[in-house]
Amino acid sequence: MISKKLIDLGVLALRQRNSRGTFKPHISIRFRDNAGDLRTFSIDTTRTPGKHPQPDAYLITHAHSDHHGKSAMLSPRAVCTDKTAAALEIRHDKKYVGSTCRLGDEIEIEGTVVKTYPTEHTAGAAAFFWENDVGTRILVTGDVKDASKLPPCDVLITEANYGDPEDPSCHFADDLDSMKCALFESGPVAFGAYEFGKAQRAVELMRGFGYNGAIRMEARVRALTRSMLEDAGELAGLESEGDDEVFVVAPWELDRLPWNVKKYVLSCRADYSYPIIKISDHLDACGLEAMVRKLNPEVTVVYHPGGHRPSKFSKHLNSIGIDSISIDQIGNVLSNEFI
């Protein structure tokens, strides 16, 4: 049994029920630190009400809403990078009250040394790595775009956003040439991109292509981009005057731009009314498998997102001889009272 294998490695993966009796998002990991004390790290999940026992840390891998930093950021036990904290504050207009580190730093959480590694999913997105009392190396990735800097581990806790190898939409490569051509063709152009993550990637790519003009954005996207990127170049408001007519807006805002603006969506989804240019912030199915092979864990726990893909990816890993369990198969369930 894979659950027993995890126990033998000194790791208990558990799910938690909230006061309504439904599952809180994602999972918690229980282990013993080097002093033999029992510790609990909750991963990309909502905050437990203060009247209940708290985990030792709320690990926030990045600031996308489906990783629940909006809730966890209000706990002094929250842990994330400085850029993730800044993004959370801008996106949710709330003060981050946890602790921060720079990407690549080592931090200490209740006697456990935790190191952060880049995943390149968003600016500041971090994987967390630590060892328990028996030397098991535990790695929590969050969402991953580039796994090249992640360390080998014994227990990998990862995502499966595009983890179904039988789904054609889970196989893709970034179409940089099409984006560059769209950018430099004559006339105004707009790229539909989510305000956090994809919008900043779009700016980085355009600057890398050699575009040095203004990029027009809504105010909050400009604030996020300036905060996240070291050199974003000139960013202007949507109504700014000037000869540069390059826009980055949310996909659902494309309709509001003038009729003569050529409009594209940067995505690997196919459910938009505008032409798609495939630019992703994730690894595809082959990339996720290659990441797991590279990191060579004894057990892989697939904890994100909702839906069937964690189970699909976990089953695929098991079929190729890599021991895995998905979040829906985790039978260890505790209520708030027993975290």
Side-chain angles (χ1 to χ4, degrees), residues 27-295:
I27 66 174
S28 295
I29 298 298
R30 185 167 284 181
F31 62 96
R32 292 192 182 277
D33 62 19
N34 287 333
D37 294 322
L38 198 60
R39 299 297 180 196
T40 301
F41 288 174
S42 291
I43 300 164
D44 284 334
T45 192
T46 52
R47 184 171 45 109
T48 298
K51 64 182 179 179
H52 297 297
Q54 299 293 301
D56 294 282
Y58 292 97
L59 303 183
I60 306 173
T61 60
H62 64 285
H64 278 150
S65 58
D66 56 345
H67 291 258
H68 309 286
K70 180 180 180 180
S71 170
M73 70 184 287
L74 302 178
S75 171
R77 301 189 183 208
V79 179
C80 68
T81 66
D82 50 0
K83 286 191 175 182
T84 293
L88 288 168
E89 291 188 340
I90 294 169
R91 297 196 72 201
H92 303 301
D93 196 25
K94 297 178 180 179
K95 180 67 176 174
Y96 177 84
V97 301
S99 60
T100 64
C101 62
R102 291 177 302 176
L103 198 56
D105 281 355
E106 284 188 353
I107 54 177
E108 186 172 313
I109 304 174
E110 297 294 332
T112 297
V113 175
V114 179
K115 185 166 184 181
T116 57
Y117 290 86
T119 64
E120 307 297 343
H121 173 63
T122 66
F128 296 93
F129 176 89
W130 70 94
E131 294 187 14
N132 65 7
D133 63 327
V134 295
T136 297
R137 301 166 298 170
I138 303 165
L139 178 66
V140 176
T141 71
D143 295 342
V144 184
K145 173 63 174 178
D146 182 349
S148 63
K149 296 180 181 178
L150 298 180
C153 59
D154 303 306
V155 174
L156 173 64
I157 302 160
T158 195
E159 57 112 341
N161 272 278
Y162 293 95
D164 182 357
E166 297 179 357
D167 184 343
S169 69
C170 290
H171 297 271
F172 50 79
D174 286 346
D175 189 358
L176 301 180
D177 289 340
S178 290
M179 184 179 176
K180 186 174 182 179
C181 288
L183 175 63
F184 289 114
E185 65 186 351
S186 61
V189 61
F191 297 106
Y194 295 131
E195 70 168 22
F196 177 62
K198 188 64 64 68
Q200 290 75 50
R201 187 176 300 281
V203 171
E204 286 184 309
L205 288 172
M206 284 190 277
R207 298 309 185 202
F209 295 152
Y211 176 72
N212 297 316
I215 299 172
R216 301 189 188 187
M217 296 173 147
E218 179 269 330
R220 190 166 69 169
V221 184
R222 292 201 309 276
L224 281 164
T225 304
R226 287 177 176 141
S227 180
M228 296 297 106
L229 302 185
E230 303 299 329
D231 185 13
E234 183 182 355
L235 305 178
L238 293 180
E239 307 301 327
S240 300
E241 298 292 333
D243 296 329
D244 298 308
E245 293 191 277
V246 174
F247 300 82
V248 174
V249 300
W252 48 89
E253 297 290 338
L254 288 169
D255 286 339
R256 299 176 60 182
L257 297 177
W259 65 269
N260 63 322
V261 177
K262 293 182 288 292
K263 298 162 186 172
Y264 304 90
V265 179
L266 305 181
S267 179
C268 288
R269 291 169 48 182
D271 54 348
Y272 291 105
S273 58
Y274 292 102
I276 301 296
I277 297 177
K278 289 190 175 182
I279 301 291
S280 180
D281 298 324
H282 294 88
L283 293 171
D284 72 351
C286 293
L288 286 169
E289 179 184 328
M291 175 186 73
V292 176
R293 290 185 182 277
K294 169 184 174 290
L295 301 179

